[in-house]
Amino acid sequence: MDLQITDMLILACVAPLVGFVLLGLARGRIPENLAALLGVGSIGVAALATLSVGWQFFNQPPAAGFVAVKLWTWMQVGNFAPAFTLRLDALSLVMMGVITGVGFFIHLFASWYMRGDPGYTRFFAYMNLFIASMLVLVLGDDLLVLYLGWEGVGLASYLLIGFWYQDPANGLAARKAFLVTRVGDTMLAIGLFLLYREFGTLNIQELATNATLHWAVGSPLATLTALLILGGAVGKSAQLPLQTWLADAMAGPTPVSALIHAATMVTAGVYLIARTHALFALAPFAQHLVAVIGALTLLLAGFTALVQTDIKKILAYSTMSQIGYMFLAEGVGAYGSAVFHLMTHAFFKALLFLAAGSVILALHHEQDIFRMGGLRKRLPFVFVCMLIGTLALTAFPFTAGYYSKDEILHQVYLSGHHELWLVGLAGAFLTALYSFRLIFIVFFGAGRFDTGHGTPQGARSLDHHLPLAVLLVLALGGGLLQLPLEAMLATVLPAAQGTEVETANGFAERLPLVVSLAGIALAWLLFVQFPRIPAALAQNSIGAAVTRLWRSAWGFDWFYDRVLTRPFVAIATLGRNDVADRLIGVIPATLRGANALLTRTQTGKLRWYAAVAGFGTCLLLALVALR
């Protein structure tokens, strides 16, 4: 069993990497069908290997509860010798399933969506690199290996967000995502340095044991380390105050948005906190801050999504809000609930993004929801997918989101943090309101699309229908995995510690559903029955000011531009001609001068070359003779 599971584990990691190398070496010189076969096939192999690993893990559980595969010793500097080891346990298995499973269907959809693009091969090379990096991140047994995957994900996200680099705005969005997340990455790196200084190792299990033995609960070092790790998680998962990159990441192709926002990058922070939960248990302040950040983010993102007009940005802020719920759960110690919602969110959010991509292509790359309308009859299958995904997002009964999201709110209530529970309820109301605002505006009412491009028509290919159909089923039935998933995660993650007992009538348990239904009802009234009301509210002075504030995502970009970017640019401008720059400038000036002198010798005249060669030969013979 160990040999087989080891082989499959290695195969799952190597297959996307091989796909990336082959596609990268091809440099766009292979047909689209072959590029799709390599790009999608490599992730399919990884998904099948993950399925095999999961089957063996369940049927013949390892005696230690995990499988460790040491591939090599990465480096050795004195006593520092981190091993490149893959560790498979219940948490990493869940993450592998989400990454390769949902990632495969996103790749399959992308093979249809990206047809005809000049960068078709390059696109799949980047996508494969993304999946390979994410697998290294979640399987690393050492924080240094995890950090390697962490930075690989950042690089791949930069390449994918700026994929259509011909438009300068896309390049700007890619650089913004790269730089903002680097802030969190730097904090995480400092945290790793601090951990190594204290314990002489970066192995995750050894760190958990040593920290528990040597640090008291609430000690300054434990708190500082947890805060630095939280900084890294906040950057990758787009939580306050490093959330500004996420909406701009919509500059990439829609399958990229699905991959980043559903199954991979934004969930990396949630995984990191869950994996280092032992450190957060020693830092109650930092753990409570995780919950507060999640609560504030889900609330601010909900208000922002309410006034967006770009269909992809609405879904992006929805992702930010749902990640906030996961942070909220981890902050109150409900790690299993957070990971469960991470999984179900991957199902319905990937479904929503891919369905939105179908709408965008059907309308010839139109993304403004107010230029759509009446599409439920023209795109019936896509409408059903969007509707089911939205119901799951709003935690409608018997959808996957109902079981995971309501479980988070229930655990928050039982933890005794009623103020955070109320924020979560407000977020649930906003989620229902802005989600069904999108549904009613895009799929109901009169058509407002440009008929000059032709009537919107749905796709009829298998690589379009199959991913949507599978994700639709998972968005509906994913909640059935709750009990086996919680039992499996209980071997890795601590159980939630509630301080209160639920009331007999289950009031707190039923209230989230009531709130969500109220949000759906209000959306129907405002955007179907009485659409003039929101239009009138947005036109008065107060409503216009609030709309501008929310549409600008609460002005964080404006604030950062004036407090950080402009002062930095001003200082750099003042210092660009200082003495150091002038001294360093001597080097390129000297090289340019030498180059200018040498280029004068290249006259193109054969006699000159023969004379120079003869002179050089005579000089060489003279030197030999003198010696």
Side-chain angles (χ1 to χ4, degrees):
M1 184 273 297
D2 287 339
L3 180 60
Q4 293 177 359
I5 200 171
T6 298
D7 293 341
M8 291 295 103
L9 191 60
I10 295 174
L11 178 61
C13 292
V14 170
L17 192 59
V18 170
F20 161 68
V21 171
L22 293 177
L23 290 166
L25 293 176
R27 298 180 62 186
R29 294 192 294 263
I30 60 176
E32 284 189 351
N33 288 337
L34 180 57
L37 179 63
L38 290 173
V40 181
S42 63
I43 307 303
V45 170
L48 290 174
T50 301
L51 186 64
S52 174
V53 166
W55 178 262
Q56 295 178 67
F57 195 88
F58 275 113
N59 285 284
Q60 300 179 34
F66 66 91
V67 174
V69 183
K70 182 178 179 179
L71 302 180
W72 63 81
T73 298
W74 188 355
M75 63 183 79
Q76 186 159 3
V77 182
N79 295 326
F80 182 57
F84 204 107
T85 301
L86 305 179
R87 180 187 175 91
L88 179 74
D89 57 17
L91 178 57
S92 54
L93 179 59
V94 171
M95 294 300 297
M96 278 187 71
V98 170
I99 294 165
T100 60
V102 177
F104 168 72
F105 290 111
I106 292 173
H107 275 70
L108 182 59
F109 183 89
S111 68
W112 166 81
Y113 188 91
M114 298 299 294
R115 287 286 178 185
D117 193 286
Y120 194 84
T121 303
R122 176 169 58 91
F123 174 81
F124 279 105
Y126 295 164
M127 292 278 277
N128 279 197
L129 176 63
F130 202 119
I131 294 293
S133 300
M134 196 68 195
L135 288 172
V136 170
L137 192 160
V138 301
L139 288 171
D141 189 38
D142 190 285
L143 282 178
L144 194 61
V145 178
L146 183 150
Y147 195 75
L148 173 66
W150 190 272
E151 290 302 306
V153 167
L155 170 63
S157 68
Y158 166 77
L159 295 172
L160 286 168
I161 293 169
F163 177 76
W164 287 318
Y165 58 87
Q166 295 85 354
D167 185 347
N170 295 339
L172 180 62
R175 292 194 299 275
K176 180 179 180 181
F178 191 80
L179 292 174
V180 172
T181 54
R182 288 293 76 71
V183 176
D185 295 355
T186 303
M187 296 178 69
L188 178 58
I190 296 172
L192 300 192
F193 291 142
L194 182 59
L195 285 170
Y196 181 74
R197 190 197 72 173
E198 290 298 311
F199 303 114
T201 181
L202 288 177
N203 182 274
I204 297 173
Q205 309 310 315
E206 293 178 8
L207 285 174
T209 302
N210 292 338
T212 304
L213 291 176
H214 294 92
W215 281 347
V217 175
S219 70
L221 278 176
T223 302
L224 177 59
T225 304
L227 288 175
L228 289 170
I229 293 174
L230 174 59
V234 161
K236 270 291 188 289
S237 290
Q239 299 292 285
L240 286 170
L242 300 179
Q243 82 289 359
T244 56
W245 67 269
L246 192 67
D248 295 87
M250 296 299 99
T254 303
V256 172
S257 304
L259 193 64
I260 290 177
H261 293 88
T264 53
M265 183 170 173
V266 294
T267 61
V270 179
Y271 169 79
L272 177 65
I273 294 175
R275 179 58 78 190
T276 58
H277 63 85
L279 297 176
F280 282 89
L282 298 172
F285 171 76
Q287 184 166 5
H288 182 66
L289 186 59
V290 173
V292 172
I293 288 174
L296 291 177
T297 304
L298 72 90
L299 197 60
L300 267 62
F303 283 116
T304 304
L306 194 57
V307 295
Q308 298 300 313
T309 58
D310 187 309
I311 187 171
K312 288 175 65 176
K313 285 193 175 183
I314 294 172
L315 296 178
Y317 284 111
S318 166
T319 295
M320 193 185 299
S321 178
Q322 297 308 302
I323 300 294
Y325 276 103
M326 299 173 205
F327 269 61
L328 177 59
E330 291 184 321
V332 300
Y335 292 101
S337 301
V339 175
F340 179 44
H341 192 54
L342 183 156
M343 183 187 70
T344 60
H345 174 262
F347 298 155
F348 60 74
K349 186 53 63 68
L351 175 64
L352 284 170
F353 266 112
L354 297 186
S358 297
V359 171
I360 291 168
L361 278 195
L363 296 178
H364 307 280
H365 299 281
E366 179 60 66
Q367 295 184 200
D368 189 338
I369 60 174
F370 289 102
R371 294 181 181 177
M372 299 179 184
L375 293 178
R376 73 183 188 280
K377 295 180 180 178
R378 299 183 183 273
L379 305 173
F381 178 62
V382 174
F383 167 64
V384 171
C385 292
M386 285 289 290
L387 180 61
I388 295 301
T390 301
L391 289 173
L393 174 62
T394 57
F396 196 79
F398 309 114
T399 62
Y402 172 73
Y403 298 97
S404 59
K405 189 175 175 181
D406 277 19
E407 176 66 17
I408 288 177
L409 290 173
H410 187 58
Q411 292 295 339
V412 173
Y413 179 84
L414 293 181
S415 71
H417 295 91
H418 291 169
E419 71 287 353
L420 298 178
W421 176 71
L422 290 174
V423 173
L425 286 180
F429 175 79
L430 288 172
T431 300
L433 183 58
Y434 68 69
S435 298
F436 273 89
R437 167 182 176 262
L438 185 154
I439 291 293
F440 293 141
I441 291 176
V442 172
F443 293 99
F444 289 79
R448 296 176 295 275
F449 43 81
D450 182 9
T451 56
H453 292 295
T455 304
Q457 298 292 334
R460 294 181 173 85
S461 59
L462 182 63
D463 47 5
H464 170 270
H465 281 19
L466 181 60
L468 292 176
V470 172
L471 291 171
L472 186 148
V473 172
L474 292 173
L476 280 174
L480 299 176
L481 301 173
Q482 181 176 12
L483 292 179
L485 185 71
E486 289 181 348
M488 184 172 68
L489 290 174
T491 63
V492 183
L493 300 174
Q497 300 296 322
T499 59
E500 296 193 6
V501 179
E502 177 65 79
T503 55
N505 58 10
F507 168 75
E509 189 174 358
R510 286 194 287 266
L511 193 56
L513 175 59
V514 175
V515 167
S516 295
L517 293 177
I520 297 173
L522 182 59
W524 172 262
L525 290 174
L526 292 179
F527 303 107
V528 176
Q529 293 296 327
F530 307 104
R532 293 182 179 180
I533 293 178
L537 289 174
Q539 289 175 357
N540 66 56
S541 58
I542 297 177
V546 171
T547 300
R548 284 196 301 272
L549 177 64
W550 291 353
R551 189 166 290 165
S552 68
W554 296 83
F556 276 88
D557 282 322
W558 176 89
F559 177 77
Y560 290 155
D561 179 62
R562 281 154 179 79
V563 173
L564 298 175
T565 306
R566 292 189 182 185
F568 179 82
V569 172
I571 294 171
T573 302
L574 288 174
R576 69 183 171 187
N577 291 320
D578 60 12
V579 176
D581 283 341
R582 291 179 182 274
L583 289 175
I584 293 174
V586 172
I587 298 173
T590 303
L591 293 174
R592 284 196 298 268
N595 174 262
L597 289 174
L598 290 173
T599 54
R600 290 184 179 182
T601 65
Q602 305 304 304
T603 62
K605 297 179 179 179
L606 183 60
R607 290 181 179 180
W608 168 256
Y609 294 150
V612 171
F615 176 77
T617 303
C618 293
L619 182 62
L620 182 61
L621 290 173
L623 290 174
V624 171
L626 291 173
R627 183 180 179 185

